[in-house]
Amino acid sequence: MRKKRVLLLSEGFGSGHTQAAYALAVGLRALNPGISTRVIELGKFLNPVLGPLIVSAYRKTVSKQPKLVGIVYRRQYKKSLNRFTQLALHRIFYTHTSQVISQLKPDLIVCTHPVPNAVVSRLKRLGLNVPLYTLITDYDAHGTWTSSEVNKYLVSTELVKKKLTDRGIPASRIEVTGIPVHPNFWETHDKAELQAQFDLKPMPTVLIMGGGWGIMYSDNLLEYMTRWRDRIQIIYCVGNNDKAREKMLADPHFQHPNIKVLGFTKEISKLMDVSDLLITKPGGMTCTEGLSKSIPMLFYEPIPGQEEVNCEYFVESGFGEMLIDTETIDKWFEMIQEPYSAVQHRRDLMTKRNQHYNPMQCSRAVLQLMQ
């Protein structure tokens, strides 16, 4: 009997969209080994030269002109991608999408980014007869995610569902599933073993991340944190930002036995387990991973737009706090040095997490919808 096939389409504008696609794929196979999944970053797959250049240009815009990104986000907030834009995207970048779909013959397509979602929506208007599910990977609902051809929206919270219904999308086409995370983020690892694995000391530890593209070396607050290096162990994850890592390693502020400066790593789930506090950019995926680990979070420099909304949701829900000054750092760095307070706070977050989130809910929902 032929396996059911699920095609998951994403884009590389930050790592969260694709991570969500892989997490959903892993969850589906764990629940039903009879399902076949394929994850594709569509632009990179179809245009291996042009695709990465576009992502690189977007990354530079986000880094150097975040206010411009916010202006564009807000101006287009209630607007879906119009048919002319969808046609242009298809003609310029995605001309072979229909061939990919014809070759893979999926029973279901899940899009975790607005652009492939728009491309598949256009193909459905032209006659493609495959159900389309849209997994919104933030705690907001920008208009570019929406299309009349979407069969089902999978969203993070009831608030996002309401934003969609306010736009006229029937509630029956929306399911609150949470954003899926890899099963590793639901496992708990032994802290002593992790300390040995990463050559860490048994002392209060802070993990600092910058989202899919890593942290920026020029951030003054990151340097301020090094003043605590005799009492706090600090792990900086700079992602793929090799230039930032080289500058940090050459800077005397970061040259200390209690400071680790890491590049890209696939061990984030373990690093969260071994840490007492997460300081991060509020990307939807990173925040959800932190939520799944019940680790307290401080959010810094949200990109105007969806990261601001993500930050607002997690702060209002009690899972984190906005990092606005050195006083915030001092307060939390003092707190995690008090073992009882740190442990009790994490237990409280775990109780709250269990009320808000189930990591397999999205995968279960997709399986039920496929039946």
Side-chain angles (χ1 to χ4, degrees):
M1 184 176 177
R2 176 182 175 275
K3 284 186 174 183
K4 288 280 189 178
R5 299 176 182 176
V6 179
L7 175 61
L8 301 104
L9 300 178
S10 181
E11 283 297 354
F13 296 90
S15 62
H17 302 287
T18 304
Q19 286 177 357
Y22 277 114
L24 178 55
V26 171
L28 288 171
R29 295 196 305 271
L31 293 173
N32 186 344
I35 285 183
S36 172
T37 62
R38 176 75 181 273
V39 176
I40 297 177
E41 286 187 347
L42 196 56
K44 182 178 178 181
F45 181 78
L46 295 175
N47 293 277
V49 175
L50 185 59
L53 291 176
I54 296 172
V55 171
S56 178
Y58 175 75
R59 175 180 177 178
K60 289 179 181 178
T61 303
V62 169
S63 300
K64 296 181 179 180
Q65 296 180 300
K67 290 184 179 179
L68 175 61
V69 174
I71 291 171
V72 173
Y73 186 89
R74 285 185 285 272
R75 282 183 178 175
Q76 301 295 319
Y77 187 74
K78 293 184 178 181
K79 300 177 182 178
S80 59
L81 289 175
N82 60 52
R83 295 197 175 189
F84 176 79
T85 302
Q86 292 183 39
L87 175 62
L89 284 169
H90 191 268
R91 289 283 176 85
I92 298 172
F93 303 112
Y94 301 98
T95 53
H96 301 299
T97 304
S98 58
Q99 295 176 17
V100 172
I101 295 173
S102 296
Q103 182 177 0
L104 296 178
K105 295 180 174 59
D107 298 286
L108 171 68
I109 297 174
V110 180
C111 288
T112 63
H113 189 276
V115 171
N117 188 67
V119 172
V120 176
S121 293
R122 180 177 181 274
L123 291 177
K124 282 175 68 68
R125 285 198 304 275
L126 296 175
L128 176 67
N129 187 26
V130 180
L132 170 61
Y133 293 178
T134 298
L135 170 58
I136 299 179
T137 53
D138 282 298
Y139 291 78
D140 196 11
H142 194 275
T144 53
W145 286 100
T146 62
S147 169
S148 58
E149 286 73 33
V150 174
N151 298 91
K152 185 72 72 170
Y153 291 91
L154 311 172
V155 303
S156 53
T157 65
E158 288 288 345
L159 179 60
V160 176
K161 179 177 180 177
K162 184 178 185 305
K163 289 183 177 183
L164 292 177
T165 56
D166 287 346
R167 292 200 182 121
I169 297 172
S172 59
R173 290 172 55 199
I174 309 166
E175 184 139 355
V176 179
T177 63
I179 299 172
V181 298
H182 194 282
N184 287 346
F185 286 91
W186 203 251
E187 299 174 5
T188 301
H189 303 87
D190 182 79
K191 198 166 186 176
E193 292 180 2
L194 294 179
Q195 287 167 343
Q197 177 181 341
F198 295 109
D199 192 26
L200 297 170
K201 298 175 183 177
M203 61 187 297
T205 302
V206 176
L207 174 63
I208 303 169
M209 299 172 57
W213 289 325
I215 59 179
M216 303 305 293
Y217 169 73
S218 59
D219 193 313
N220 292 328
L221 287 178
L222 299 182
E223 182 179 308
Y224 176 83
M225 296 173 199
T226 64
R227 300 184 184 185
W228 288 81
R229 58 191 181 181
D230 290 327
R231 290 181 284 166
I232 298 288
Q233 192 165 228
I234 306 175
I235 306 170
Y236 293 92
C237 283
V238 301
N240 291 313
N241 195 337
D242 294 332
K243 289 184 179 179
R245 183 169 185 266
E246 290 173 5
K247 288 181 179 179
M248 291 175 75
L249 290 173
D251 188 331
H253 289 96
F254 300 93
Q255 295 172 356
H256 191 276
N258 293 340
I259 292 179
K260 303 285 184 182
V261 182
L262 306 179
F264 175 78
T265 176
K266 294 183 178 180
E267 303 281 20
I268 295 299
S269 65
K270 293 182 179 180
L271 290 171
M272 286 186 183
D273 271 341
V274 82
S275 301
D276 303 288
L277 176 67
L278 171 64
I279 300 176
T280 181
K281 298 274 285 180
M285 196 66 194
T286 302
C287 289
T288 308
E289 290 169 348
L291 165 68
S292 70
K293 285 295 187 183
S294 307
I295 185 171
M297 295 179 276
L298 298 182
F299 308 115
Y300 72 96
E301 293 187 352
I303 298 171
Q306 67 266 35
E307 284 197 356
E308 289 179 328
V309 181
N310 294 341
C311 185
E312 181 180 337
Y313 169 77
F314 280 92
V315 170
E316 290 182 353
S317 300
F319 291 102
E321 184 176 330
M322 186 67 184
L323 174 53
I324 55 176
D325 51 32
T326 57
E327 285 77 12
T328 310
I329 295 173
D330 293 340
K331 180 185 77 173
W332 279 91
F333 281 31
E334 288 282 2
M335 193 273 282
I336 64 174
Q337 292 182 82
E338 302 173 10
Y340 177 80
S341 296
V343 171
Q344 187 59 46
H345 186 71
R346 198 150 187 175
R347 284 176 179 168
D348 292 343
L349 288 180
M350 187 174 296
T351 300
K352 189 178 297 187
R353 175 205 68 185
N354 292 340
Q355 296 170 350
H356 282 74
Y357 182 73
N358 184 319
M360 297 301 287
Q361 185 175 349
C362 188
S363 301
R364 290 195 183 101
V366 172
L367 281 180
Q368 289 174 359
L369 292 167
M370 290 179 67
Q371 294 175 356

